[in-house]
Amino acid sequence: MSDVRARIGHGPVTTHSERLSVLWDGHTRGGEVAALATALTLTVATVEVTLAGRLGLFFDLCFVVICLVAALMVRKRDFFTVGVLPPLLMFATMVLVALNGTQVIASPHDSVVQAVVTGLARHSVALLAGYAVCLLALLARQRLPRP
């Protein structure tokens, strides 16, 4: 009914509870959410490496936000896809960054494998926070009633 009213221009299109429901009930497929999260994470990493020369706090904070947004966007039947996404996303980011230059996440003389391990260790708090936020948001969406 609200779609019809929106098309003809009568009455309010959405109420406050409908807007909260849109934030709470994700409708995006898991593969699309994973692709978007990957693109956003790699974009943030590229921007910070370009501007600062290293991955730092900006990347960590953005990673946590990306994990939360992914958990809120995904539809319920694809919870598993997003539930396993944060560690895979962090690992893939560290591998790609290390392949482009180990000095960004480790010492310049380190091997790629050693740089990946160092990068994961340095960003482990962000990984833990992103994973926790993601899993807690998915759990809340599964257990709590809709607003």
Side-chain angles (χ1 to χ4, degrees):
M1 184 71 173
S2 64
D3 290 341
V4 174
R5 280 189 258 165
R7 288 185 192 150
I8 60 175
H10 296 318
V13 177
T14 58
T15 64
H16 180 67
S17 65
E18 287 175 341
R19 281 180 268 172
L20 284 176
S21 178
V22 168
L23 288 174
W24 192 253
D25 293 335
H27 298 288
T28 310
R29 285 187 248 143
E32 293 173 354
V33 172
L36 177 63
T38 303
L40 288 173
T41 303
L42 293 177
T43 300
V44 168
T46 302
V47 167
E48 184 158 21
V49 168
T50 302
L51 295 177
R54 299 189 70 77
L55 288 182
L57 184 61
F58 178 72
F59 171 78
D60 292 346
L61 294 175
C62 288
F63 181 80
V64 173
V65 170
I66 290 167
C67 291
L68 175 62
V69 170
L72 294 176
M73 286 181 64
V74 72
R75 61 185 179 183
K76 285 193 175 189
R77 73 177 85 149
D78 293 331
F79 274 8
F80 178 78
T81 303
V82 173
V84 299
L85 184 63
L88 297 173
L89 189 57
M90 182 67 83
F91 177 73
T93 302
M94 293 303 145
V95 168
L96 290 172
V97 168
L99 287 173
N100 286 308
T102 59
Q103 72 277 4
V104 175
I105 54 177
S107 297
H109 63 276
D110 288 348
S111 69
V112 172
V113 174
Q114 190 174 358
V116 169
V117 172
T118 302
L120 288 172
R122 286 186 179 165
H123 298 280
S124 61
V125 173
L127 175 58
L128 179 67
Y131 206 13
V133 164
C134 178
L135 292 178
L136 288 173
L138 292 175
L139 180 68
R141 285 187 57 202
Q142 182 181 21
R143 302 281 181 180
L144 298 178
R146 281 175 52 171

